[in-house]
Amino acid sequence: MKTKLVVLIFFLFAAFTFTQAQTFKAGAAVRDITPDHLIPISGGMGTPDMPTGYQGKLTTRALVLEKGNTKIAIVGVDNIGWPAYLGDLSRKKIKGIPPENILIGATHTHSAPDAYGFTDEKGNTGADLDYLKWCVNQIADAVNEAVANLQSASIKTMVGEAKGKIAYNYYAPKLYDHRMGVIQAIATTGKDKGKPIVTLVNYATHPEILGPDRGLISPDLCGPLYDRIESKVGGVAIFMNSAQGGMVTADNRRPNDKEANDWNECIRIGNLMADEALRIITPVTAEDNPMLYCTSKTITFPVDNQAMRFVFRNSPVAAMAGKTPGDLSTISTRINLLDIGKAQVLTIPGEALPNIGFYVKRHMKTKQPFLFGLTNDAFGYMLTKEDFNSFERYDYVSRTSLGEMTGEIYEKNALELIKDSPAAEK
Ligand SMILES: [Zn+2]
């Protein structure tokens, strides 16, 4: 009799732990990364400019998802690009998540301190290593807090058309992707039951309404986007950029070839994006037990661009992170693929042009394709070999890319990763 009871208790315990282990959980956290003194801000390759003030706060925002043995982190950083050598320093300080399951993406604001350590011909740089080390800790802290905040959750995911005057392609106005992806995790127990833990917005655009020329340290349109979502539904808002290269940007056009490039325009577009994201996600029925899958792959690109080699070779940030340059004829990085319920997410280590975005989305095994651009690395523009050095319009993006084969190598590896991975839920 006693044995039977023990056996029964064992089975009850096993059933309990199994259910526990399979419970879908989500947690989120935010850390401020606004520098406490003025640091030169970067709008791309070249020497950064010294700003004169601040407009809004720079932040890093982390979402952690867990189910069974799978745990992943998605991190957004208000910066133009966040190199893997800095991301890896944070990954070492994060407990309980495999480094390859930690996706760190840049929002691509053009009004934040340089994290790559661009140098001029004399080797001068505007990068502030103490600031970057602090950011590394803040990013790790945000993820560790998101892990501590993990709680039972359901999930809503959707991809829909974002309407209104949000973005356009500066090179060819209509050639851009109107789709916005939204992921929202909702608490299923506790005092916040029924409320969003996090709302993630995935959309392709350049947050460069202010840009470095305004001389302000700023999250650009992302700041108002976060604030609007958080004031309307609570929880943490995260923005992950998408395939916004060459040259999808904020639609701040005004009559007579004028542009609005002030904070009011950041508010207008940030609020509109937030409202569109909530319009898209609100009617969706939450899923209680979604699938969660994460895989990754290391891919290698040739570095044909001598200016890029120069940056990698002379970057004080890379040296600080203990990254020895090597011969720099090639560079390796990681791409991730996630299934989160009905959504599938693929990362891009740079700024893919919209046609590359459309192509990989078309091949993803889901009706809800998400692309996280500028994630895990930001190696400049990624063009197809046909586009590279073609139209005069593409001179700048060709010059600011690793080389002719970057797009093709990315597409080939992305498609293999998709093929080798399970489809998202139907
Ligand atoms: Zn860009």
Side-chain angles (χ1 to χ4, degrees):
M1 185 63 197
K2 211 173 178 182
T3 331
K4 272 188 188 164
L5 187 63
V6 169
V7 170
L8 181 65
I9 287 170
F10 173 78
F11 276 109
L12 281 173
F13 181 74
F16 176 75
T17 46
F18 181 75
T19 323
Q20 278 295 93
Q22 292 299 310
T23 303
F24 183 81
K25 291 181 179 177
V30 182
R31 284 287 184 278
D32 194 328
I33 54 166
T34 315
D36 64 1
H37 58 288
L38 297 173
I39 298 173
I41 54 177
S42 173
M45 278 178 76
T47 325
D49 307 305
M50 187 54 105
T52 54
Y54 301 85
Q55 183 71 74
K57 292 258 169 215
L58 302 181
T59 53
T60 181
R61 292 155 180 272
L63 157 64
V64 172
L65 298 174
E66 181 190 67
K67 187 181 176 181
N69 295 323
T70 304
K71 203 184 276 182
I72 62 172
I74 298 167
V75 184
V77 183
D78 282 323
N79 200 283
I80 194 164
W82 203 252
Y85 41 75
L86 286 182
D88 288 344
L89 294 180
S90 296
R91 288 180 177 97
K92 282 188 192 143
K93 295 169 187 273
I94 293 166
K95 295 175 194 79
I97 308 178
E100 66 276 14
N101 285 19
I102 301 169
L103 288 62
I104 303 178
T107 61
H108 205 50
T109 173
H110 282 44
S111 307
D114 169 24
Y116 270 89
F118 295 125
T119 48
D120 62 19
E121 315 76 55
K122 291 177 193 146
N124 298 317
T125 168
D128 183 320
L129 299 183
D130 289 333
Y131 168 71
L132 295 172
K133 283 181 204 162
W134 177 63
C135 290
V136 164
N137 287 329
Q138 293 293 83
I139 290 168
D141 284 354
V143 179
N144 286 328
E145 189 192 318
V147 172
N149 289 344
L150 279 170
Q151 57 174 311
S152 301
S154 59
I155 201 125
K156 289 178 167 189
T157 65
M158 186 50 77
V159 172
E161 183 184 336
K163 299 195 171 109
K165 193 173 160 65
I166 297 176
Y168 76 113
N169 189 327
Y170 180 74
Y171 292 168
K174 290 185 178 170
L175 301 192
Y176 74 102
D177 194 340
H178 292 68
R179 287 170 287 181
M180 176 181 274
V182 189
I183 297 172
Q184 194 173 60
I186 294 158
T188 51
T189 54
K191 66 174 174 35
D192 293 326
K193 185 176 174 183
K195 291 184 185 155
I197 297 165
V198 68
T199 304
L200 180 152
V201 180
N202 180 220
Y203 186 77
T205 191
H206 267 72
E208 57 172 351
I209 295 169
L210 299 179
D213 297 343
R214 297 282 301 200
L216 296 168
I217 292 175
S218 175
D220 206 83
L221 61 84
C222 308
L225 182 151
Y226 305 141
D227 292 347
R228 176 81 146 205
I229 288 177
E230 292 176 0
S231 70
K232 281 196 155 179
V233 300
V236 168
I238 299 182
F239 175 67
M240 299 299 282
N241 220 319
S242 188
Q244 40 49 278
M247 193 58 84
V248 183
T249 191
D251 191 354
N252 59 347
R253 289 173 295 178
R254 292 293 184 271
N256 306 318
D257 282 337
K258 293 213 164 51
E259 284 184 351
N261 60 356
D262 58 9
W263 185 240
N264 281 336
E265 186 68 353
C266 295
I267 294 171
R268 184 190 72 76
I269 296 183
N271 284 356
L272 179 53
M273 286 173 69
D275 292 348
E276 284 300 283
L278 295 176
R279 178 184 64 75
I280 288 166
I281 205 66
T282 302
V284 175
T285 308
E287 244 191 295
D288 278 327
N289 193 27
M291 77 181 286
L292 186 65
Y293 170 83
C294 177
T295 189
S296 64
K297 178 177 190 179
T298 298
I299 65 174
T300 301
F301 297 112
V303 186
D304 300 329
N305 185 333
Q306 294 302 322
M308 289 273 196
R309 286 194 196 190
F310 185 85
V311 169
F312 297 137
R313 182 173 299 117
N314 295 294
S315 165
V317 185
M320 183 263 285
K323 185 90 184 162
T324 44
D327 82 338
L328 291 170
S329 59
T330 62
I331 198 153
S332 295
T333 190
R334 184 162 54 235
I335 56 172
N336 280 90
L337 185 141
L338 313 176
D339 287 321
I340 304 171
K342 298 186 177 90
Q344 190 164 66
V345 178
L346 189 67
T347 67
I348 308 169
E351 305 180 54
L353 267 65
N355 53 347
I356 293 181
F358 275 97
Y359 177 71
V360 288
K361 276 188 179 179
R362 198 163 70 238
H363 287 273
M364 288 166 77
K365 295 178 190 164
T366 178
K367 288 201 168 102
Q368 296 181 19
F370 287 64
L371 292 177
F372 290 175
L374 300 133
T375 294
N376 297 338
D377 254 314
F379 294 146
Y381 293 99
M382 297 166 66
L383 303 79
T384 63
K385 63 180 191 288
E386 291 83 0
D387 283 341
F388 184 85
N389 267 348
S390 58
F391 312 108
E392 199 183 349
R393 254 302 187 207
Y394 283 162
D395 281 358
Y396 171 70
V397 287
S398 300
R399 234 173 32 238
T400 319
S401 77
L402 292 173
E404 181 172 350
M405 297 310 289
T406 319
E408 178 139 321
I409 292 167
Y410 170 73
E411 286 176 348
K412 178 177 164 289
N413 282 282
L415 261 53
E416 277 172 22
L417 203 57
I418 294 163
K419 187 168 137 286
D420 296 340
S421 297
E425 288 168 17
K426 289 262 181 315

